[in-house]
Amino acid sequence: MSTLLYRLGRFAYRRKWSVIGAWSVLLLVAVVAALGLMRPFASATTIPGTEAQRTLDVVRAKFPTDDTHTTGKIVFRAPDGATVSAGDSVKTVRRTVDEVADVPGVTAATAPDVKAGTVSADGGTGIAQLTFSTKKGDALPEATQAGVEKAAAEARRAGLTVELGGDAFSQSKVEVMGPGEAVGVLIALGVLVFVFRSLRAAVVPVATALVGVAVGVLGLMSLTSVVTMDSTSIILAVMLGLAVGIDYALFIVSRHQTQVRGGMDPEESAGLATGTAGGAVVFAGATVVIALAALSVVNIPFLTVMGLGAAATVVVSVLIAVTLLPAVLGLMGGRIATSTVPVLRHSTERAARRTDRPATGVRWATLVARRRWTVLVVSLLGLGILALPAADLRLGLGGTQDPDTSAARAQKLVDDGFGPGYSGTLVVLVQGGEKAVSSAAGELTSTVKRLPGVAAVSPVVPAKSGDAALISVTPASGPETEATKGVLAEIRHARDAVEDRTGTAVDVTGTTAVNIDVADKLSAALPVYCLLVMGLALVLLIVVFRAVAVPLKAALGFLLSLGASLGAMVAVFQWGWLSGLLGIKETGPVLSFLPMLLVGILFGLAMDYEVFLVSRMREEYAHGRTAADAMIRGFGHGSKVVTAAALIMIAVFGSFVFADMQVIKGMGFALGIGVLLDAFVVRMALVPAVMAVLGDRAWWLPRFLRRVLPDVDIEGERLTRRMNGAPSAAVAPPGRSGTERIAVRSGGGGA
C-alpha cells in the first residue's frame, strides 16, 4: 500500500493543476446537485419489526387520516384568573384563529374546544390546531409563517401569552458553519501555526479539510431527495469531516515539511510523506469508516443514515489527503519549509540550533518510564472515578429542541396546563372479532385506569371495520421519564390476561412508545456493538503491530476513555454539573444514539493515535534498541504530532458545544471530552507507562500467528528503507539479543 500511495503522491504533485481541477469540478457538481435535489430535513425515528412500529403501521391502515400535510398549533395562555373559553380572552382567541384561517397556505384552523380536550382543566390554556397546504416534512413558506406570527403577535398585545408549536414551527435551521464552528477552525489554525512555524503551511490542512467537508456535506444534502435524513446527520458530517480532515492533512504535511527542511527534494518528499504518513491516514480513516458503517447492523434507519453519511464524509477526507493535498504541496514547492513571518522564521532557526536538549516528548516519556507504576495507578484511578456516573446512564430521544424557541415555550405551556403526559399519549390497539374487541377494550380500559402513573384514559374509538379499537392513555409523567416507561411496561404486562380471556391481540404504540422502544433497542445493542468494534480493534492491531499485548492494551485503554467520557456526559447533561457554564438549559436523559456514535468515532481516533505513537516504538525496537529505550525514542518522535492532532480535534468538537440544539451540544461535548481523555490520559500517560512495565513482553507474538499473519506496512517502513538502500528488519521474539532482533529477511518490515 505504501508504494501505491507513494506513486499517487508524486503523481498528484507533478500533475497538480489536473488534480486541483478535477476536485474543483467535483465540488461544482456537488453544489449543483445539492441546489437541484436537496429537500427539507425530516426525522424518522423508527425501528422496523418492533411492537410500537408494527402497531403504528396497523393503526394508520385501520384508522386512516390525512397526515400528508404539515400541522402546527397555537398555544394560548390566559392571564391569571381568566380562561381562554370566557370573557375577553375567548374573543381574542377566536379572532386570532379566524385571522390565521385566512392566511394563504393555511387549510384549516380549529379553535380550542373543551369537548375536544384542547382546553386545560383549569381553563387557562387552550390549543388551536392548524393544518397547512405544505407537504409534511417541507418547510412552511415565509409568507405563511409570517402571517401566523403576525396574528399571534396581535393576540399577545391583547394580553394573552401565545406561542407557536407543532411540526410546522419545530424545524431547525441547519448552520453548517456558525460562529462557534468558525472559532474552532481558528483555534485549529493557531495549533497548526505553532506546529509548522509557518502560516502558509498551517493554512493548507484547513483549506483542504474545508474542501472535503464541502464535497461530503453537499453530496449528503443532494441525497435528501431519496433518503429521509435528519439535520443531525449533516452536523455530524461537518463535525467529523472538519476534525479528521485537518488531522489527516497535519500528519502528512508535518512529515513532508520535516523532510524538506532536512534537504529532501520537495517532489520526492511529497511522495514519501503520502506513502508513509498517508498509510496511517488510510488505516485511521478505514477504522472510522468501518466503525460508523457497522451502525447499520443495529437496523435503525435514522442511525444507519447518520453513520453512513458520516462515513462517506470521512472517505472524502481520506481521498483529499492522498490526492488534493500533495497537489497543493506541489503549488508551494520548497516554500513549505520556510516562513515569511519573522517571528515564525526565527522560531524555526532557534529550534534547529537546539540539538543538544532532548525534546519535550522524550523528557516526558523518560519521566513516565521512571515513575511508571505511579502514572499507571493515578491514570487508572482518575479514569475510573470519571466513569462512575456512567452507572446512572439513562437514554432517551427528547431534549433536542432549543428551550429559547417558540416551539419549546409552546410545549412548556402545554405541559404546565395539561400535564407533562399530554404530549406523550400511549395508544393501545385491540384487534379481533367485533364482540371480542368491544369486551377486551372495556376490560382493558378499566384495568389501565387503575394503574399507577395514569392520568387519563380516553373513550374507546372503534374502527369502521369493527375488528379493531383504539384506547388513548395519558400518563401523569413526561414522555422521557422512567415513570412513563414504567406505565408502558405495566400496560403491556396487563394485556396478557385480557388477550387470554378474550382471544384478542393487544399492542401499544404512539410516539412515546416508539421512542422508548428505540432507546431500549439501542441499550440492548450497545454491548454487542462494543464487542464488534473491540474485536475489530484487536484483529487490526495484531496485524499492524504483530504483537498481542499492545493490541490488548490499546483496546482496554479505549474502554477506559469510553467509560470516562460516558461518565462525564451523565454528570453534565443528566445531572446538570457545569451545565450553566456550557449553556445547557435543560437536563435529561442522554441521547439514545450518542453512546454508539461515541464508540464508533472515538474508536477510530484512538486507533489513529495508537498507530502513530506505538508504530515508531516498534520500529526502534526492531532496530535493536532495548524496549525501554525504544519506547522513549518512539514516543519522542510521535508525541508532538499526536498532541497537535488531539488539540485540533478538541477545538473542532468543542466548538459545537455552543450550538443551539441540545443534540449538537451533546455530540460536541461527548466527542471533545472523549478525545481529550483518550489522547492525553490514555495515549500520553497510560501507553508509555504500560509499555515500560511490559518491556520486551509487549512485542511477544506466538509462532503460529507470526507465520499466518500478513505483514502490513502501515507506516511505510519498507518504502523508506528501499529508498535509503537499507534492508528491512523483522522483530524477533523477546528474549533474544539486540543483534538477533536485527534479523534481515526477505520482504520483512515494521509497522
Side-chain angles (χ1 to χ4, degrees), residues 45-47 50-53 55-56 60 73 395-399 411 415 419-428 453-454 471-492 507-521 589 592:
T45 308
T46 60
I47 305 182
T50 58
E51 175 184 332
Q53 185 60 47
T55 307
L56 188 60
R60 288 170 177 167
K73 57 189 175 185
L395 301 180
L397 285 173
Q411 186 60 52
D415 291 344
Y422 181 83
S423 301
T425 303
L426 300 171
V427 179
V428 182
V454 173
I471 306 169
S472 294
V473 181
T474 303
S477 51
E480 291 292 321
T481 62
E482 288 295 314
T484 297
K485 188 176 180 179
V487 170
L488 175 61
E490 287 293 332
I491 294 174
R492 286 175 170 170
D507 298 288
V508 188
T509 186
T511 302
T512 299
V514 170
N515 289 347
I516 291 174
D517 282 353
V518 168
D520 289 345
K521 180 71 177 290
S592 55

Side-chain angles (χ1 to χ4, degrees), residues 496-695:
D496 295 337
V498 175
E499 287 178 331
D500 291 340
R501 283 193 295 271
T502 61
T504 57
V506 180
D507 298 288
V508 188
T509 186
T511 302
T512 299
V514 170
N515 289 347
I516 291 174
D517 282 353
V518 168
D520 289 345
K521 180 71 177 290
L522 286 170
S523 298
L526 183 59
V528 177
Y529 180 69
C530 281
L531 288 175
L532 176 66
V533 171
M534 296 305 297
L536 174 66
L538 287 174
V539 172
L540 287 179
L541 291 179
I542 288 174
V543 171
V544 169
F545 293 120
R546 298 183 66 80
V548 175
V550 170
L552 285 174
K553 175 262 303 172
L556 292 175
F558 165 69
L559 283 179
L560 287 171
S561 59
L562 175 64
S565 302
L566 290 176
M569 276 287 297
V570 170
V572 174
F573 285 85
Q574 195 172 302
W575 294 355
W577 294 6
L578 301 177
S579 58
L581 180 64
L582 297 175
I584 300 168
K585 298 164 186 173
E586 288 186 355
T587 58
V590 173
L591 288 166
S592 55
F593 57 83
L594 197 52
M596 279 198 171
L597 286 179
L598 183 62
V599 169
I601 297 171
L602 189 59
F603 160 70
L605 302 180
M607 296 308 103
D608 184 6
Y609 300 150
E610 183 77 11
V611 168
F612 266 84
L613 278 177
V614 182
S615 60
R616 192 58 183 262
M617 298 178 190
R618 183 183 187 275
E619 184 178 344
E620 295 289 341
Y621 186 74
H623 290 169
R625 300 189 184 278
T626 64
D629 194 28
M631 183 277 289
I632 292 171
R633 288 175 174 269
F635 187 91
H637 283 294
S639 59
K640 181 179 178 180
V641 70
V642 170
T643 300
L647 289 174
I648 290 170
M649 287 276 186
I650 294 167
V652 173
F653 290 148
S655 66
F656 285 85
V657 173
F658 302 100
D660 291 333
M661 295 176 62
Q662 290 286 90
V663 60
I664 306 304
K665 284 180 180 290
M667 288 166 54
F669 178 84
L671 295 174
I673 198 71
V675 171
L676 174 68
L677 295 172
D678 192 86
F680 292 104
V681 179
V682 175
R683 308 304 154 190
M684 293 294 174
L686 272 179
V687 165
V690 172
M691 295 296 288
V693 169
L694 291 176

Side-chain angles (χ1 to χ4, degrees), residues 196-211:
F196 295 135
R197 294 185 172 90
S198 170
L199 181 58
R200 57 190 169 206
V203 170
V204 172
V206 175
T208 54
L210 289 174
V211 172

Side-chain angles (χ1 to χ4, degrees), residues 60-364:
R60 288 170 177 167
K62 292 186 174 293
F63 299 84
T65 57
D66 181 14
D67 60 352
T68 60
H69 292 86
T70 301
T71 59
K73 57 189 175 185
I74 307 176
V75 183
F76 300 92
R77 178 67 187 176
D80 292 341
T83 67
V84 296
S85 55
D88 293 336
S89 295
V90 70
K91 296 178 182 178
T92 302
V93 169
R94 289 175 180 172
R95 183 175 64 251
T96 302
V97 173
D98 290 341
E99 290 176 2
V100 170
D102 293 333
V103 172
V106 177
T107 58
T110 306
D113 185 7
V114 175
K115 294 182 179 179
T118 53
V119 175
S120 62
D122 63 359
T125 305
I127 303 173
Q129 304 288 354
L130 308 179
T131 304
F132 299 90
S133 58
T134 307
K135 292 291 185 181
K136 190 172 184 178
D138 292 348
L140 287 182
E142 291 185 5
T144 302
Q145 186 160 341
V148 176
E149 290 175 347
K150 180 182 177 182
E154 292 177 357
R156 293 188 188 104
R157 285 192 290 270
L160 297 180
T161 300
V162 184
E163 300 294 348
L164 307 178
D167 294 339
F169 305 100
S170 299
Q171 297 175 349
S172 302
K173 293 183 179 179
V174 181
E175 278 192 348
V176 175
M177 284 293 291
E181 293 74 32
V183 170
V185 172
L186 289 176
I187 294 174
L189 183 61
V191 173
L192 292 170
V193 169
F194 176 79
V195 171
F196 295 135
R197 294 185 172 90
S198 170
L199 181 58
R200 57 190 169 206
V203 170
V204 172
V206 175
T208 54
L210 289 174
V211 172
V213 168
V215 172
V217 169
L218 289 170
L220 290 179
M221 287 180 171
S222 65
L223 291 177
T224 54
S225 59
V226 293
V227 177
T228 300
M229 191 177 300
D230 193 282
S231 60
T232 307
S233 301
I234 298 296
I235 299 298
L236 178 63
V238 173
M239 191 186 302
L240 198 54
L242 267 180
V244 302
I246 296 175
D247 265 14
Y248 293 166
L250 163 66
F251 296 145
I252 295 175
V253 175
S254 176
R255 184 76 173 249
H256 173 63
Q257 187 189 55
T258 301
Q259 292 167 169
V260 174
R261 283 176 174 170
M264 185 178 291
D265 175 69
E267 180 181 331
E268 187 70 13
S269 175
L272 183 60
T274 307
T276 53
V281 165
V282 171
F283 171 81
T287 54
V288 177
V289 168
I290 292 171
L292 288 171
L295 290 170
S296 58
V297 303
V298 185
N299 196 28
I300 299 178
F302 81 91
L303 194 58
T304 299
V305 171
M306 195 177 296
L308 293 179
T313 307
V314 174
V315 170
V316 173
S317 297
V318 172
L319 293 175
I320 288 278
V322 297
T323 57
L324 180 61
L325 180 59
V328 175
L329 295 178
L331 292 178
M332 301 186 69
R335 292 174 297 170
I336 191 72
T338 62
S339 176
T340 57
V341 181
V343 174
L344 298 176
R345 185 172 65 250
H346 295 156
S347 176
T348 303
E349 294 170 353
R350 286 194 302 271
R353 289 195 297 266
R354 280 191 313 218
T355 57
D356 55 335
R357 185 184 181 188
T360 303
V362 172
R363 297 199 302 272
W364 170 251

